[in-house]
Amino acid sequence: MNKKIIKSLCIVAIAALAAGGTYSYFQDTETSVGNKFVAGKLNLKIDNTCHYNGKICSKAGEIYMWEGTEEQCFCSWEVKDLNGELFFNLNDVKPGDFGEDTISLHVDNNDAWLCAEVANLKNNDNDCETPELKDEVLAYGAGNETCGNPGLGQGELQSKILFTIWKDNGAGANACNNILDDDETASVIDQPAQAGIWPIADSGDNGAPIGGGSTVCYGVKWNLPLATNNIIQTDSLEGDLKISAIQARHMENFLCSSLSGNEAICGDGIMNGAEQCDDGNTVNGDGCSAACQIENPVCNNGSAQACYSGPSGTLGVGICQAGSQICSNNVWGSCVGEVLPALEVCDALDNNCDGQVDEGLGMTICGVGACQNSVNNCTGGVLNSCTPGTPTVETCDNLDNNCNGTIDEGNPSGGASCSTGLLGLCAAGTTQCQIGGLMCVQNVLPAAETCNGLDDDCNGAIDEAMGTTTCGVGACQNTVNNCTGGVINICTPNSPSAEICDGIDNNCNGAVDDNCN
């Protein structure tokens, strides 16, 4: 039709020209230049800051180091797309260890729903050290221990290591500060790791998407209680953490639970091929409304099915049981009524759904010395109390018989006179309780010999080596032993006589043969 009108106008113009006259006509042109459609982008980037036993993994130049050490670390990084980075990669975890990661999620540049999924958990008991075997025998009974069976998912580490998760969005300086502040609420407190999908932001409970160009931080804190015993030795816990961003536009009713099975969702930007919408039309790309069907599985509104998000092999074991979910808007709703593995408590039930009842609850030790006693904390679902033994009279046996914290105090059974078998004064002794037995301990130690008629230096000789003393001159000179029979001798010169001519100082005056004619 339009083409015909244009042709007619052209004929008229030509006819006028053929008549040889001039002509003019009104005209007006409006041009819209560069019309285009540009696809927006939705990109999720992540940065992470990790702590371990009070140390922070922080950047030092071009690498990251544990603060205060020369040890390199790899669990902190700046904003980026993940390429093999691990939030947790600890190879020597011990009871009492703890850590925390602050994960920052950056949405660029469209509003988005955010979902986190914990998947592919592997909880293995890799080896069987002697202390571990002993604790497993105590917990499970001989013949029921699980250690040394790698790859069977029978490790205890998953039930022992506890996680606390919170949105680290406090006011002012409290935002993204690695601390669970008073104005922040934890969504998970001291719970074991569990597989499943966790909504960071979805339409449930009137939730709002994360604004394009904004950041949200989450704190993930973990600890392995100091009371954990040897039952976790050589165990390992591995798993995947997948964080997904899904466009919010045209997906106003999106729920993270619809990601179950990792199937593509209409409007999520990752669909391949055609999708069937509610109105029966098939479109390519993300052209469906928010109420489109999930590709696989497809559910009919109002239908119900059983559901379970616990670890593989736990459904129907112990307290673990399936729940149910209802199909709404052709999407399976949240799983309601499921019972998942929990921490084992003393109630005669298999709370952690591992096939064992009241296991791993440890022992309590009470009392000191000979009164010390130990009991299993739980027997047949009943909590046991520990009662110390009865103290007795302290005896010399290297034990704390009276249970006061001191061994063999008061020298029990000792104090009698005895012979040490040594010589001299060292022979006399008194019995003493030492290292659980009576010993004869000498009353005195060897000393310097003195003139007392005793063997002071315990060498078998009395008053030996006391020396001599010489006194007087000439014929009066005399020499005596300083000590005889314990008595100190005094040296007395001999009596002088008349001087005679004999070459001797007879009168003891210091001159020989004086006045000799």
Side-chain angles (χ1 to χ4, degrees):
M1 178 65 179
N2 290 337
K3 290 183 180 180
K4 292 181 180 180
I5 293 174
I6 293 173
K7 186 174 180 181
S8 298
L9 290 174
C10 291
I11 293 172
V12 171
I14 293 172
L17 183 62
T22 61
Y23 73 95
S24 63
Y25 54 88
F26 295 122
Q27 68 176 34
D28 183 17
T29 302
E30 304 291 341
T31 304
S32 175
V33 178
N35 291 284
K36 60 182 178 181
F37 290 90
V38 178
K41 67 177 181 178
L42 177 59
N43 191 8
L44 175 64
K45 293 183 180 291
I46 297 176
D47 67 271
N48 189 60
T49 301
C50 66
H51 301 65
Y52 181 39
N53 286 340
K55 296 180 292 186
I56 304 176
C57 180
S58 59
K59 195 168 187 179
E62 296 300 319
I63 62 176
Y64 283 83
M65 305 283 289
W66 290 114
E67 285 187 353
T69 74
E70 298 298 323
E71 183 182 357
Q72 191 171 357
C73 53
F74 302 92
C75 53
S76 292
W77 58 82
E78 296 176 339
V79 179
K80 63 188 299 185
D81 291 321
L82 298 189
N83 184 24
E85 286 78 11
L86 297 176
F87 293 103
F88 309 101
N89 187 22
L90 302 171
N91 296 311
D92 189 23
V93 177
K94 294 180 175 65
D97 281 1
F98 61 94
E100 190 271 344
D101 277 44
T102 293
I103 304 171
S104 299
L105 308 175
H106 305 260
V107 177
D108 182 21
N109 59 358
N110 278 281
D111 295 355
W113 305 112
L114 291 180
C115 307
E117 180 180 6
V118 177
N120 300 321
L121 286 180
K122 298 176 182 177
N123 180 40
N124 288 324
D125 208 332
N126 299 300
D127 207 341
C128 201
E129 301 294 330
T130 300
E132 180 183 11
L133 179 61
K134 288 182 178 179
D135 280 350
E136 290 204 1
V137 170
L138 286 174
Y140 309 142
N144 297 317
E145 55 274 8
T146 62
C147 66
N149 297 317
L152 299 183
Q154 296 177 323
E156 289 80 14
L157 185 57
Q158 181 177 350
S159 65
K160 301 298 183 183
I161 191 167
L162 305 178
F163 290 86
T164 297
I165 303 173
W166 72 97
K167 189 175 182 181
D168 196 2
N169 65 338
N174 289 350
C176 301
N177 66 347
N178 308 99
I179 299 172
L180 178 56
D181 299 295
D182 292 339
D183 58 348
E184 297 166 345
T185 302
S187 56
V188 174
I189 300 178
D190 283 341
Q191 293 296 315
Q194 295 182 359
I197 296 178
W198 169 45
I200 298 175
D202 70 2
S203 65
D205 297 325
N206 298 315
I210 305 301
S214 62
T215 299
V216 61
C217 294
Y218 272 82
V220 180
K221 182 170 64 175
W222 64 270
N223 75 92
L224 185 59
L226 188 61
T228 305
N229 58 19
N230 292 305
I231 204 167
I232 65 163
Q233 281 198 29
T234 74
D235 290 6
S236 63
L237 175 63
E238 299 180 25
D240 301 336
L241 176 58
K242 181 171 69 175
I243 303 175
S244 302
I246 299 95
Q247 75 172 55
R249 186 190 301 171
H250 308 309
M251 295 285 289
E252 290 80 3
N253 298 319
F254 173 80
L255 295 173
C256 288
S257 59
S258 62
L259 290 176
S260 178
N262 300 320
E263 300 297 340
I265 297 178
C266 178
D268 61 8
I270 57 174
M271 184 194 71
N272 295 316
E275 296 194 55
Q276 185 70 38
C277 295
D278 292 343
D279 56 9
N281 295 321
T282 299
V283 296
N284 290 316
D286 290 331
C288 297
S289 67
C292 69
Q293 295 177 335
I294 299 175
E295 291 179 359
N296 185 22
V298 175
C299 66
N300 296 318
N301 288 334
S303 61
Q305 69 174 12
C307 55
Y308 185 70
S309 60
S312 175
T314 59
L315 178 59
V317 179
I319 66 170
C320 291
Q321 64 183 27
S324 61
Q325 55 188 163
I326 306 299
C327 184
S328 176
N329 293 328
N330 300 107
V331 174
W332 288 116
S334 300
C335 190
V336 178
E338 64 176 341
V339 180
L340 301 176
L343 288 176
E344 196 74 8
V345 296
C346 185
D347 57 1
L349 299 175
D350 178 13
N351 306 100
N352 59 6
C353 307
D354 64 351
Q356 304 292 326
V357 175
D358 293 344
E359 83 282 4
L361 297 178
M363 302 182 66
T364 295
I365 299 175
C366 60
V368 296
C371 299
Q372 190 178 84
N373 190 20
S374 62
V375 296
N376 288 323
N377 289 332
C378 180
T379 303
V382 178
L383 289 171
N384 296 319
S385 59
C386 186
T387 303
T390 303
T392 59
V393 176
E394 194 74 7
T395 60
C396 186
D397 55 4
N398 203 32
L399 298 174
D400 179 14
N401 308 97
N402 58 7
C403 309
N404 67 349
T406 305
I407 295 174
D408 292 345
E409 79 278 6
N411 193 26
S413 303
S417 297
C418 60
S419 175
T420 65
L422 301 175
L423 300 175
L425 294 179
C426 300
T430 303
T431 54
Q432 295 286 332
C433 179
Q434 296 184 359
I435 319 177
L438 292 176
M439 299 182 65
C440 186
V441 179
Q442 64 197 80
N443 295 332
V444 298
L445 298 175
E449 195 73 11
T450 60
C451 184
N452 57 4
L454 300 174
D455 181 10
D456 301 288
D457 57 5
C458 305
N459 67 350
I462 296 175
D463 296 343
E464 81 281 7
M466 302 297 293
T468 61
T469 298
T470 300
C471 59
V473 295
C476 298
Q477 188 179 76
N478 188 20
T479 299
V480 296
N481 289 323
N482 291 332
C483 181
T484 302
V487 178
I488 297 175
N489 295 319
I490 299 174
C491 184
T492 302
N494 294 324
S495 300
S497 61
E499 189 75 13
I500 60 175
C501 191
D502 58 1
I504 297 174
D505 181 13
N506 306 99
N507 59 5
C508 307
N509 65 352
V512 177
D513 292 344
D514 55 321
N515 299 320
C516 181
N517 295 319

